[in-house]
């Protein structure tokens, strides 16, 4: 049995050490490791796809960590195995992941059926997303039946996460009018549910008002599916209120999408999009490392930055250089 086959067997058996070693392999940038990582993913593919993939986003301060901990503990009590993966594009600037710290979810981190992993490092959000997708597959092969992918809620990260999950949950605060004004329409369009957290104590009436406003706003948007009306719900993750109802709602969503064939269709489209993203990444690397292109790239980029060469002319020169073989 090869080393990769042994590693795959360990992942399938749910061995945490094997899973960690497998994730380290796919995160490696060493050229020799990329082939082994692909071999590992290929070998484990038949064991993947059996989880519910959930994306969770929300602005900083909305209580994502508290929510995920309450949500995860609720699932573990129902004998589920849950993996938490964090996509944090800001880590490209800070050099570390602010989301990966297990101390944010102390109770969940102690559970043997919970796995918490910081976002893989990457030069681009696309790179981060690629590693997160592969980590997701490894977790599925290891028996985790609920995968939560968390994003910090800035820029394109929500769109990226939504492109790899079955269900996308947007957490919001109860700053009703102001919040509704400030929220990006695009984010609301990709959400499968909006949940207003911290609906507790004196904040409850404001949360109720915000929920009604979101419901009204959601009715004005074109639904992603004619079989699903995006709900606006309340919860208090701190007091573990409304969490079970959110899990029931997610199960209802999955059952509805499966009944109408949309679940499998979405996963097929995501897999194809993923393949093309990898092709484009590979072609970009091939292009940048081509000896004809590399020899003139700095000069052309300097010309574009200085305004002496137009981007269209620069692109044409580089492509012509690439084609000279």
């Amino acid at each position: 049995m090869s080393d990769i086959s042994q590693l795959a067997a360990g992942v399938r058996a749910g061995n945490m050490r094997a899973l960690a070693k497998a994730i380290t392999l796919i995160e490696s940038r060493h050229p020799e490791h990329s082939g082994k990582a692909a071999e590992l993913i290929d070998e484990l593919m038949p064991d993947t796809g059996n989880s519910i993939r959930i994306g969770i986003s929300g602005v900083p301060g909305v209580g994502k960590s508290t929510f995920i901990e309450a949500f995860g503990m609720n699932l573990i009590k129902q004998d589920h195995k849950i993996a938490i993966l964090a996509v944090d594009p800001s880590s490209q600037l800070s050099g570390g992941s602010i989301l990966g710290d297990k101390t944010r979810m102390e109770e969940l981190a102690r559970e043997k059926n919970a796995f918490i992993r910081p976002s893989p490092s990457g030069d681009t959000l696309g790179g981060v997303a690629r590693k997160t997708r592969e980590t997701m597959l490894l977790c599925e092969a290891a028996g985790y039946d609920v995968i939560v992918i968390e994003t910090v809620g800035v820029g394109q990260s929500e769109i990226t996460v939504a492109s790899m999950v079955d269900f996308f949950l947007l957490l919001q605060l109860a700053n009703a009018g102001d919040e509704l004004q400030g929220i990006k329409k695009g984010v609301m369009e990709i959400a499968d549910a909006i949940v207003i957290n911290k609906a507790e104590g004196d904040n409850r009436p404001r949360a109720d008002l915000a929920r009604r406003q979101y419901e009204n706003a959601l009715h004005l948007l074109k639904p992603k599916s004619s079989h699903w009306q995006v709900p606006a719900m309340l919860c208090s993750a701190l007091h573990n209120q409304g969490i079970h109802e959110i899990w029931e709602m997610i199960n209802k969503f999955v059952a509805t999408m499966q009944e109408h064939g949309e679940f499998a269709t979405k996963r097929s489209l995501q897999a194809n999009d993923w393949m093309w993203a990898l092709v484009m990444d590979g072609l970009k690397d091939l292009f940048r490392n081509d000896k004809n292109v590399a020899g003139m790239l700095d000069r052309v980029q300097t010309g574009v930055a200085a305004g002496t060469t137009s981007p269209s002319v620069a692109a044409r020169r580089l492509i012509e250089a690439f084609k000279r073989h």
Side-chain angles (χ1 to χ4, degrees):
M1 183 182 287
S2 69
D3 290 346
I4 292 300
S5 293
Q6 284 184 342
L7 186 56
V11 171
R12 282 193 204 95
N15 183 301
M16 294 289 281
R17 181 174 293 183
L19 178 59
K21 189 175 178 181
I23 293 174
T24 300
L25 178 64
I26 68 162
E27 290 178 0
S28 172
R29 296 183 178 186
H30 196 290
E32 287 185 11
H33 292 165
S34 62
K36 292 182 178 179
E39 185 183 342
L40 177 65
I41 293 293
D42 270 351
E43 187 154 342
L44 289 172
M45 276 304 286
D47 305 292
T48 66
N50 296 319
S51 75
I52 297 177
R53 304 165 180 173
I54 303 169
I56 295 180
S57 186
V59 295
V62 76
K64 283 193 296 294
S65 301
T66 308
F67 176 84
I68 292 172
E69 173 144 272
F71 185 70
M73 292 304 296
N74 187 285
L75 295 185
I76 283 174
K77 287 174 183 171
Q78 299 177 49
D79 296 326
H80 289 285
K81 289 183 71 176
I82 181 171
I84 316 292
L85 310 177
V87 172
D88 179 12
S90 66
S91 67
Q92 296 161 35
L93 301 177
S94 65
S97 172
I98 58 171
L99 294 173
D101 190 349
K102 292 182 180 179
T103 59
R104 294 184 306 126
M105 306 171 199
E106 288 185 357
E107 196 177 1
L108 198 57
R110 288 195 294 268
E111 291 291 336
K112 65 179 176 60
N113 285 332
F115 178 75
I116 302 173
R117 182 79 181 188
S119 77
S121 59
D123 295 330
T124 65
L125 181 56
V128 172
R130 184 167 65 247
K131 299 304 182 187
T132 303
R133 285 178 194 268
E134 292 171 349
T135 302
M136 177 177 72
L137 296 179
L138 294 176
C139 290
E140 288 181 343
Y144 291 90
D145 62 338
V146 180
I147 312 288
V148 170
I149 303 180
E150 175 191 12
T151 174
V152 73
V154 294
Q156 282 292 102
S157 58
E158 298 101 335
I159 307 291
T160 303
V161 169
S163 73
M164 66 176 85
V165 298
D166 305 312
F167 182 92
F168 188 77
L169 176 66
L170 182 63
L171 283 176
Q172 290 293 311
L173 291 168
N175 300 326
D178 292 343
E179 188 66 23
L180 205 52
Q181 290 293 322
I183 190 170
K184 291 172 287 186
K185 182 185 174 189
V187 177
M188 287 187 69
E189 286 177 336
I190 63 172
D192 296 301
I194 292 177
V195 172
I196 298 152
N197 192 20
K198 303 185 182 181
E200 62 220 9
D202 295 342
N203 201 40
R204 180 76 188 202
R206 285 192 294 274
D208 271 326
L209 175 61
R211 180 181 58 77
R212 290 195 296 274
Q213 291 188 326
Y214 279 115
E215 280 181 344
N216 292 336
L218 288 166
H219 280 295
L220 299 177
L221 296 177
K222 183 181 178 183
K224 288 195 298 181
S225 168
S226 59
H227 304 291
W228 183 255
Q229 176 59 51
V230 176
M233 301 175 68
L234 301 180
C235 83
S236 168
L238 184 64
H239 298 289
N240 199 28
Q241 295 170 349
I243 303 299
H244 179 66
E245 288 77 4
I246 291 169
W247 176 236
E248 286 186 331
M249 178 267 295
I250 292 173
N251 277 311
K252 182 181 177 184
F253 171 87
V254 172
T256 302
M257 294 299 106
Q258 287 175 334
E259 179 185 351
H260 296 282
E262 294 185 29
F263 191 86
T265 300
K266 185 176 183 179
R267 283 204 172 178
S268 295
L269 291 172
Q270 288 175 340
N272 268 306
D273 287 347
W274 184 5
M275 179 195 75
W276 277 109
L278 293 174
V279 169
M280 297 307 291
D281 281 354
L283 287 174
K284 188 176 178 182
D285 287 342
L286 194 66
F287 185 84
R288 292 181 69 95
N289 293 321
D290 178 80
K291 63 179 182 181
N292 291 342
V293 172
M296 61 188 295
L297 189 57
D298 286 346
R299 177 163 40 86
V300 171
Q301 285 190 136
T302 301
V304 170
T308 56
T309 305
S310 76
S312 60
V313 169
R316 191 163 61 246
R317 285 179 185 167
L318 290 170
I319 291 171
E320 288 300 323
F322 182 71
K323 290 162 65 178
R324 284 202 298 271
H325 285 287

